[in-house]
Amino acid sequence: MKSLRVRLFVLLAAMTVVVWSSAAMWIYVSTRAEVQRVLDRRLIEAAGMVASLANDAEDLLVRQPNQSRLVPLPHYSRQLSCQIWTLDGRLVGRSSGAPSQPLANGKSGFSERVVGGETWRVYTIADPSKQIRVSVGDNLRVRKRLIGDLMVGLLAPAIAGLVALAVLIWASVGAGLAPLREVALRLACRDPEDFSALGIEHPTKELRPLIQAIDSQFGQLERARADERHFIASAAHELQTPLAGLRAHADVASMTDDPATREKSLHSIRKSVDRTARLVGQLLDLSREANGERLPAHWVSMGATMDSLADELASELRRADVRLTVAATAADVDLHIAPASLLLALRNLIKNAVDHSPPGGAIEISAEQRDQCVALCVRDRGPGIPQEELGAIRGRFVRGARERGPGSGLGLSIVELVLSQVGGTLSLRNLPDGGFEAAILIHRDKVTWSARHS
Amino acid sequence: MRILIVEDDEILFDAIRTGLVLEGFAVDAVDTIADAREAAQTVEYDAVVLDIALPDGTGLELLREWRKSGHSVPVLLLTARNSTSDRIEGLDSGADDYLGKPFDLHELAARLRAIARRSKGNLSPALSWGDYTLDSASRELTQNGEVVALSRREFALLEALFEQPGRIFSRPQLEERLYGWQDDIGSNTVEVHVHRLRAKLGRDVIQTVRGQGYKVARQ
């Protein structure tokens, strides 16, 4: 059924009709039994009364020889018929309207008999001392009409009541559903961009979970939208700045007559282009990872992965004058992971380490057991990150306050996102004797390690 | 004209500094709010180029702080967030002008000259004194239409004096205006520039106020 209101109305109305019909049935049955009992009682009383008032059979026969006559029984004439017979079977008196054929077959007590097309219920009483038998009968058609009239009298107000109830039920269901209608109205009227709470002050108990669920969904949507807006604004900002640098250096190069200044500007333009390209690449990585396409995992050798990364980053490492070493512990590790995810995470961590390494510095990749996990550590000998910034540094576009390098602040968030999809975590700490360590923690079930290190 | 640049992006920072020096400004550059606050306390700048997103806060905070404490240095906000509401917020925070990234260096220089000029109460971009007209935009000094060739520093020195005729500038004040921190003052002292200017313009334009400094006469 399409409308909740119609559904409730039909249910309530059907139930009311069923209950009322049953009640009417009950009333009909019990009323009929009671009416029969009362009328039977009346027959008994009437018969007794007639018998006690009647004269002896002899007297009756003398006064009205051989023929029946009207016995003055005015009160009963309409409904009751009365016959007085002698015990030997002669009719000595009858009420007006009573048939002349016998109403009963002569036995005492109740009997029913069809006389002249009408069914009679008769009570017969014999008085041996007076030699008479009195039969008093009710016409059953009359009895039925009486019961029928009673039932009509009962049913007519009941039906009127049902109609009134139907109207009241319809209105009450409407009023009862008003809070629901309010929720629907607010949802329908709201701006598609509006993610604020519904603002229903005192929700009914039944609607509260619904309203809470809607409000919390809206809250999540709003947060997601705010995150997205922040991300887009930050991405735009991060792109605008190197673009502004490019533009300004191009201006400088065209303004200056000094070859050294021009050469410096051209160098900066090259740096700016590299940096913009790296940022665009990271944005693409991030959007690819955020789209959540799960890559199939299989067993990957850490040694082979590091070899390919070292090749890929060779010129960058040479330019920064940084050495990359892979400890034997790390080279022997095999991981159950999507190869592209591992590459992406390690590449970002190593590039970060390169950015923060002093010239002549070294980056070491190693592996060690930590609790239930195996940690793949990327350690540099740079200045580290101030302790108070460690918490925030994973956020998107967050860079350290002292940060002046080419990074965009996206690297660590990419690593975190990648790791969250392969069930790993990122752990960051400053090393006690200087330098910084970024560690990828992978559960040991997903790692095999040659026996000599474990 | 001495300018403070507050910008944390190394490449952009470098470009603005180089470009503005080429445009004849004396430029100081810092990359944090803390450094900018300190710089503005020690040097009287003609204008500040302020980036909004900085590592230790937003440029708007610094701007509001300055305006609240009555610091009226002209400020040009530089930002990647270039929507109308961002511009309104920036201008309402007390900025004198607003430039979205990326921008043209010539435009940045022109806007800086304009806000610096307005803050000194000069409406015309050309300063005149006697027969002389000094055009900050084209960086030319003319005497009755004839161009007088000046070096960058000579121009800047004369510009300072012409902006406020009658005001006496001490030697350190002029130095402050002519040289950024990174400039090597060396032997090119204010006296040398004044000497050369007098050789070009005659002795009666720049007057020496003994024990105090230099001025051009109020007209």
Side-chain angles (χ1 to χ4, degrees):
Chain A
M1 223 168 284
K2 276 177 193 146
S3 157
L4 197 55
R5 190 179 187 183
V6 170
R7 184 190 167 88
L8 272 172
F9 173 75
V10 167
L11 275 172
L12 287 171
M15 229 108 79
T16 312
V17 167
V18 166
V19 169
W20 280 52
S21 309
S22 313
M25 210 61 204
W26 189 353
I27 291 169
Y28 171 72
V29 169
S30 65
T31 307
R32 197 178 58 174
E34 190 62 16
V35 167
Q36 299 282 21
R37 203 175 62 77
V38 168
L39 292 180
D40 282 356
R41 199 76 221 148
R42 194 176 63 166
L43 286 182
I44 295 171
E45 281 170 14
M49 209 180 304
V50 170
S52 66
L53 292 175
N55 297 336
D56 288 350
E58 293 306 317
D59 290 352
L60 289 165
L61 279 170
V62 170
R63 286 194 205 162
Q64 300 101 27
N66 292 324
Q67 64 174 63
S68 51
R69 52 165 288 212
L70 299 175
V71 175
L73 294 168
H75 294 302
Y76 301 101
S77 63
R78 293 281 166 81
Q79 290 176 17
L80 300 180
S81 293
C82 180
Q83 292 178 330
I84 305 172
W85 299 82
T86 60
L87 285 181
D88 53 2
R90 282 171 295 169
L91 180 65
V92 290
R94 64 184 170 108
S95 61
S96 64
S100 49
Q101 297 101 314
L103 285 169
N105 54 9
K107 282 184 194 152
S108 294
F110 282 105
S111 64
E112 279 180 26
R113 194 163 197 197
V114 180
V115 178
E118 304 272 10
T119 310
W120 295 86
R121 180 157 176 88
V122 182
Y123 184 74
T124 305
I125 186 172
D127 187 347
S129 62
K130 290 180 182 170
Q131 287 293 301
I132 56 168
R133 188 163 55 224
V134 175
S135 292
V136 180
D138 258 340
N139 189 332
L140 276 189
R141 186 170 50 83
V142 176
R143 279 197 177 192
K144 271 183 190 148
R145 203 171 59 219
L146 178 65
I147 293 170
D149 287 350
L150 260 176
M151 288 314 293
V152 168
L154 270 172
L155 282 179
I159 286 166
L162 259 183
V163 172
L165 258 183
V167 172
L168 288 175
I169 288 174
W170 180 254
S172 311
V173 166
L177 290 177
L180 199 60
R181 211 161 37 237
E182 193 194 348
V183 173
L185 198 70
R186 290 208 189 185
L187 283 173
C189 293
R190 96 188 348 240
D191 194 294
E193 297 295 306
D194 182 6
F195 293 122
S196 61
L198 283 175
I200 291 175
E201 300 217 329
H202 301 291
T204 52
K205 200 174 97 193
E206 294 77 7
L207 282 181
R208 200 172 299 142
L210 181 72
I211 290 168
Q212 279 167 353
I214 291 174
D215 283 351
S216 110
Q217 280 291 321
F218 275 135
Q220 281 174 16
L221 271 175
E222 186 162 28
R223 278 192 295 280
R225 274 296 278 273
D227 282 354
E228 193 185 332
R229 262 197 293 270
H230 175 73
F231 180 74
I232 292 172
S234 305
H237 177 253
E238 289 299 324
L239 279 169
Q240 298 278 46
T241 300
L243 286 178
L246 274 173
R247 171 73 205 249
H249 275 294
D251 286 345
V252 168
S254 67
M255 273 158 72
T256 183
D257 299 326
D258 174 27
T261 307
R262 185 177 302 129
E263 190 46 51
K264 205 175 141 225
S265 279
L266 290 176
H267 176 72
S268 294
I269 288 174
R270 276 190 293 275
K271 251 167 69 182
S272 225
V273 168
D274 287 349
R275 195 178 129 185
T276 314
R278 173 169 166 183
L279 174 60
V280 170
Q282 283 184 321
L283 284 172
L284 287 174
D285 285 343
L286 200 57
S287 87
R288 235 192 325 264
E289 290 298 321
N291 283 340
E293 197 189 326
R294 294 283 170 102
L295 300 167
H298 43 82
W299 287 100
V300 185
S301 151
M302 185 71 185
T305 304
M306 281 314 304
D307 286 347
S308 83
L309 264 179
D311 275 354
E312 181 191 321
L313 299 173
S315 66
E316 207 162 313
L317 288 163
R318 203 165 38 242
R319 232 177 303 139
D321 189 18
V322 173
R323 211 156 29 84
L324 178 65
T325 58
V326 181
T329 51
D332 290 341
V333 166
D334 282 339
L335 295 155
H336 191 69
I337 195 171
S341 303
L342 180 64
L343 266 173
L344 188 56
L346 282 171
R347 185 188 297 126
N348 275 285
L349 291 181
I350 293 172
K351 280 192 174 187
N352 267 351
V354 172
D355 290 343
H356 296 99
S357 287
I363 298 170
E364 192 201 30
I365 314 292
S366 61
E368 62 190 46
Q369 185 104 27
R370 275 189 208 167
D371 296 331
Q372 297 300 303
C373 295
V374 172
L376 304 172
C377 309
V378 178
R379 294 191 180 123
D380 64 50
R381 296 190 193 149
I385 297 176
Q387 206 62 31
E388 66 273 12
E389 289 177 14
L390 267 183
I393 202 73
R394 299 158 189 248
R396 288 177 182 180
F397 299 114
V398 175
R399 294 201 280 160
R402 293 189 320 213
E403 188 68 59
R404 297 292 176 274
S408 60
L410 278 181
L412 290 180
S413 34
I414 292 176
V415 175
E416 278 231 299
L417 189 62
V418 168
L419 290 182
S420 74
Q421 288 177 356
V422 300
T425 50
L426 176 65
S427 149
L428 302 172
R429 65 178 176 132
N430 289 306
L431 295 170
D433 48 351
F436 188 73
E437 177 199 89
I440 297 174
L441 300 180
I442 304 273
H443 195 271
R444 63 178 178 196
D445 292 350
K446 292 184 178 168
V447 181
T448 57
W449 211 349
S450 10
R452 61 202 152 108
H453 300 299
S454 49
Chain B
M1 217 181 279
R2 188 150 175 191
I3 305 288
L4 176 68
I5 304 170
V6 190
E7 165 62 59
D8 66 321
D9 181 79
E10 198 182 3
I11 292 175
L12 182 57
F13 172 100
D14 193 39
I16 297 174
R17 188 171 56 198
T18 315
L20 290 184
V21 167
L22 288 172
E23 285 273 343
F25 294 92
V27 178
D28 291 335
V30 294
D31 56 6
T32 59
I33 286 185
D35 290 350
R37 196 179 283 130
E38 205 176 309
Q41 272 165 7
T42 46
V43 180
E44 193 188 326
Y45 289 101
D46 295 289
V48 176
V49 179
L50 184 60
D51 192 6
I52 289 189
L54 290 163
D56 55 347
T58 78
L60 291 177
E61 289 165 19
L62 179 64
L63 182 55
R64 289 196 197 102
E65 181 187 310
W66 278 347
R67 295 305 185 234
K68 220 169 138 186
S69 64
H71 195 342
S72 65
V73 61
V75 170
L76 183 142
L77 281 177
L78 205 58
T79 177
R81 303 203 176 94
N82 201 14
S83 70
T84 310
S85 61
D86 289 330
R87 284 199 295 271
I88 291 171
E89 192 192 358
L91 294 171
D92 278 349
S93 302
D96 297 84
D97 205 350
Y98 200 101
L99 200 55
K101 292 178 188 172
F103 51 86
D104 187 302
L105 263 182
H106 300 288
E107 186 184 353
L108 175 66
R111 284 174 183 260
L112 285 173
R113 280 194 293 269
I115 60 174
R117 188 173 65 232
R118 279 201 299 271
S119 76
K120 295 189 180 83
N122 297 320
L123 296 177
S124 162
L127 300 165
S128 24
W129 189 91
D131 302 339
Y132 297 99
T133 304
L134 190 142
D135 188 334
S136 307
S138 62
R139 312 206 64 71
E140 270 180 354
L141 176 73
T142 51
Q143 183 181 24
N144 298 322
E146 293 281 310
V147 176
V148 181
L150 295 182
S151 77
R152 194 152 55 85
R153 306 258 195 243
E154 289 160 9
F155 186 92
L157 197 153
L158 201 58
E159 187 180 43
L161 297 174
F162 276 16
E163 270 171 8
Q164 290 158 293
R167 176 179 164 185
I168 302 166
F169 287 89
S170 68
R171 210 174 308 144
Q173 276 174 331
L174 286 172
E175 262 169 19
E176 192 174 87
R177 199 169 146 140
L178 259 53
Y179 299 99
W181 298 322
Q182 301 199 327
D183 293 320
D184 179 21
I185 298 178
S187 59
N188 295 333
T189 53
V190 171
E191 281 100 329
V192 175
H193 295 309
V194 170
H195 180 76
R196 289 187 186 148
L197 277 170
R198 281 177 173 155
K200 289 175 183 175
L201 309 177
R203 299 204 58 81
D204 50 350
V205 177
I206 301 173
Q207 301 171 0
T208 304
V209 182
R210 194 169 298 276
Q212 294 185 53
Y214 303 97
K215 69 168 188 177
V216 296
R218 199 194 302 273
Q219 289 179 302

